[in-house]
Amino acid sequence: MRTLNRNYWIFGVFFMLYFFIWAASTMFLSLWLTQEGGLNSTKTGIIFSAISIAAMCFQPFFGIVSDKLGLKKSLLWLFIGLLVFIGPFFVYLFPALLKTNIILAAVIGGAYLGAIFNGGVGAIEAYIERVSHLNGFEYGRVRVFGNIGAAASTFVTGHLFNTNPDLVFWIGTGMALLLAVVFSFAKMGNAQPNEAHAGKETAPPKGSTAALFKNKKFWMFMLYVLGVGCVYDVYDQQFAVYFTHFFTTPEAGTKMFGNLVTFQIFLEAIVMILAPFIINKIGAKNALLYAGFIMSFRILGSSLADGPVAISLLKLMHALEVPILLVAIFKYISANFDMRLSATIYLIGFQFTKQVGAIFLSTIAGNMYDTVGFKSAYLLLGSIALIFTMISIFTLSGKKLFVVKNVSAQEAS
């Protein structure tokens, strides 16, 4: 029980600090690029596309390495080391690159941000999900700490962004140093790769990753991720810019957005606590469909919003689906695939697939915002997400995971 409590709290704080840094660095990234970098929506879309390209390149590698390393801490130490430089990157390097050469800025910025956030988060989540199996606690319970960290970060960022955005990034560096201290206390004992999965202590067989691409369930899973998850992510990239249009000044909109996101993330934490119970009752497939319909409704609703109240309520809907989606993805993988490949499936089937679609869609969407406007672009994106959600009713597997009682870390090993 002592090991369970120790790792639960250590990785809870890990999630909290990591998502604090991520939210501080990217929650207002689209606004920062337009206000500090002087970019229009099309060029902002290029930056987001570059981040997606980089993440796409990193994710398969991180997934395979993560499955091979098992519970070894090497890969997470790499991410922490890169996070320490978040302050110098945003204060000195990135602004200079944006003013010099947008392509060079996209390449370097995309590689760095893609590795530590969009590319690295999957490996971090898969690692902690593995730890949760070993220590007998629900992944969703420890993931709640990430919501708390993001909420606190958004509150701080929303108040500092209009006055001194550089301070936000220096705080991120400080949090990364604290993250290193916290992670140094995590002890995995003598756990070996794949020990976290009871009864499956052997390493993934050779050729197993390639065999995934012959699995129809895997392709149908990726279809859902591409048509729903990817479209939603692209919609949300520049939503902050659209949101400020409903207020008298950009500064007023930015402040309100920060406060609203803080409240939204606290709501996410509540839903995250309930998510494992809900998904165990209705099944992973139904949970994914529920998330898809909520995402589609929010995108379509944004195209019809006519005031700050309506757009704010639509923003809060984010809290109703993201926690369900995150937990349902892992439970769907557990029910339908070999758990020895969990990190590979999560990073390739979910994270990688989203980035592939975002590479093309981010720039296209950015251009649509400049030409036909946000409302028309959101109408198209929402329609696409709704169509793919309805297709997924027939293509996703309804197989349920048999839930077993949690065991202690001692029993699991």
Side-chain angles (χ1 to χ4, degrees), residues 108 118 211 330 343 367 395:
I108 295 177
N118 301 63
F330 280 112
N367 182 256
T395 57

Short mmCIF file of all heavy atoms in Angstrom, two decimals, residues 108 118 211 330 343 367 395:
data_model
loop_
_atom_site.label_atom_id
_atom_site.label_comp_id
_atom_site.label_asym_id
_atom_site.label_seq_id
_atom_site.Cartn_x
_atom_site.Cartn_y
_atom_site.Cartn_z
N ILE A 108 12.38 24.65 -36.50
CA ILE A 108 12.98 24.55 -35.16
C ILE A 108 11.90 24.55 -34.08
O ILE A 108 11.93 23.73 -33.15
CB ILE A 108 13.98 25.70 -34.94
CG1 ILE A 108 15.15 25.56 -35.91
CG2 ILE A 108 14.48 25.71 -33.49
CD1 ILE A 108 16.17 26.68 -35.83
N ASN A 118 3.29 17.62 -28.00
CA ASN A 118 2.45 16.77 -28.85
C ASN A 118 3.04 15.38 -29.08
O ASN A 118 2.31 14.40 -29.17
CB ASN A 118 2.19 17.44 -30.19
CG ASN A 118 1.51 18.79 -30.05
OD1 ASN A 118 2.07 19.72 -29.46
ND2 ASN A 118 0.30 18.93 -30.58
N ALA A 211 2.57 -6.04 -37.61
CA ALA A 211 1.34 -6.83 -37.70
C ALA A 211 0.10 -6.01 -37.35
O ALA A 211 -1.01 -6.34 -37.78
CB ALA A 211 1.44 -8.03 -36.77
N PHE A 330 -7.58 4.58 -23.67
CA PHE A 330 -6.79 3.53 -23.03
C PHE A 330 -7.62 2.27 -22.78
O PHE A 330 -7.14 1.15 -22.97
CB PHE A 330 -6.20 4.03 -21.71
CG PHE A 330 -4.97 4.89 -21.89
CD1 PHE A 330 -5.00 6.24 -21.59
CD2 PHE A 330 -3.79 4.34 -22.37
CE1 PHE A 330 -3.87 7.03 -21.76
CE2 PHE A 330 -2.66 5.12 -22.54
CZ PHE A 330 -2.69 6.47 -22.23
N ALA A 343 1.79 1.21 -25.52
CA ALA A 343 2.40 2.51 -25.83
C ALA A 343 2.48 2.72 -27.34
O ALA A 343 2.20 3.81 -27.85
CB ALA A 343 3.78 2.62 -25.20
N ASN A 367 -5.91 28.98 -43.56
CA ASN A 367 -6.21 29.74 -44.77
C ASN A 367 -7.70 30.04 -44.88
O ASN A 367 -8.10 31.14 -45.31
CB ASN A 367 -5.74 28.96 -46.01
CG ASN A 367 -5.98 29.71 -47.30
OD1 ASN A 367 -6.90 29.41 -48.05
ND2 ASN A 367 -5.15 30.70 -47.56
N THR A 395 -18.17 1.00 -37.21
CA THR A 395 -16.81 0.53 -37.45
C THR A 395 -16.00 0.25 -36.18
O THR A 395 -15.09 -0.58 -36.20
CB THR A 395 -16.03 1.54 -38.32
OG1 THR A 395 -16.04 2.82 -37.68
CG2 THR A 395 -16.66 1.65 -39.70
#
